[in-house]
Amino acid sequence: MPTTLKEFESVWPRIVDDLTTLCKQYKLPQQSLDWFVKSLNYNAVGGKCNRGMSVVDTSSLLLNKNLLPDSEEYFRAALLGWMIELLQAFFLVSDDIMDSSKTRRGSPCWYLAPNVGMIAINDAFMLESSIYALLKKHFRQEKSYIDMVELFHEVTFQTECGQLCDLLTAPEDHVDLDNFSLDKFTFIVIYKTAFYSFYLPVALALHYVGAATPKNLQTSLDILIPMGEYFQAQDDFLDAFADPEVLGKIGTDIQDNKCSWLVNQALKKVNPEQRKILEENYGQKDAEKEAKVKTLYHELKLAEFYSQWEEERVADLRTKIDRVDESEGLKKEVFEIFLKKIYKRSK
């Protein structure tokens, strides 16, 4: 049985206790300690935790047994999952400042919370550093310890490279469609999202169960990175074409000047007149201009194009999954479950 959010969140207080204990060893003043705990709870808790729970579910699959929520085995797998959630929190707190975002998960962004402001930058650093404090406390004796430390460092750097390319390619206040390309879209998606959202949970589970052979890690990379790319293209498609009530949010990619899969496909298909429509209307905080871009997307039959592209991409992924060699402890089912969650999703 897949783990539930309630089960996954049940280990969180123990993690906060570990970090609190460390801060007390440093004799961090109570006011600062209270602030840190508040930041931890505000920024790491409250999301869907799909990345974190994937570590538990993948570990269960690889070990071929249900990890019981009150067991130490469950705690350790969930702890690795929460480290991804802390990494995500570090990225989001920083990202919201860079993007001047207003809300996150239905609440004000942390830097806009009362009395926070730019202290949020240091809070982001502390969220990231917490990962390594927890790794040291709980996994230092494991032979995979340094591999996991290096994995977190590498994936963090990869994500930051993706963010850099995104910020330079598609600044919200300067629209230049010549700066866009499918190659840049692919780089941004793979580095900003796919490594930490798709590859990292599975790689950590492989390390946790002792099956992180070079071959298994490479196989995981070869399947999960294209899957992450597919997921983002799908996300971009839903942003423009899905019913906001079903999606649970109003899409903003067009107004935000995003280097999305859709706009790059449109740029490949437009004639000079249509290109002019894009130039004049894309990336503007204006609902009427946004509507003109969406009308152009319909004219270019991008929904039909996406459907065909999705089937080809998923067929390719299924072929790769079918070829997985299970002799070193990896299982096809790990990837089948990831794919099942995203194929044909509507939100």
Side-chain angles (χ1 to χ4, degrees), residues 108-146:
C109 297
W110 177 239
Y111 80 100
L112 293 175
N115 306 316
V116 178
M118 289 304 118
I119 300 171
I121 297 172
N122 193 64
D123 294 331
F125 297 159
M126 290 185 76
L127 290 164
E128 184 195 21
S129 300
S130 299
I131 296 165
Y132 301 100
L134 292 164
L135 265 176
K136 183 179 177 185
K137 179 177 169 68
H138 292 280
F139 290 93
R140 196 162 185 271
Q141 309 310 318
E142 304 290 330
K143 67 180 194 301
S144 60
Y145 170 63
I146 198 64

Side-chain angles (χ1 to χ4, degrees), residues 308-326:
Q308 186 187 340
W309 178 89
E310 178 179 43
E311 292 309 321
E312 288 167 9
R313 179 52 61 103
V314 171
D316 187 46
L317 285 166
R318 285 186 174 137
T319 302
K320 284 183 171 151
I321 294 168
D322 283 342
R323 289 193 195 128
V324 170
D325 179 354
E326 298 185 335

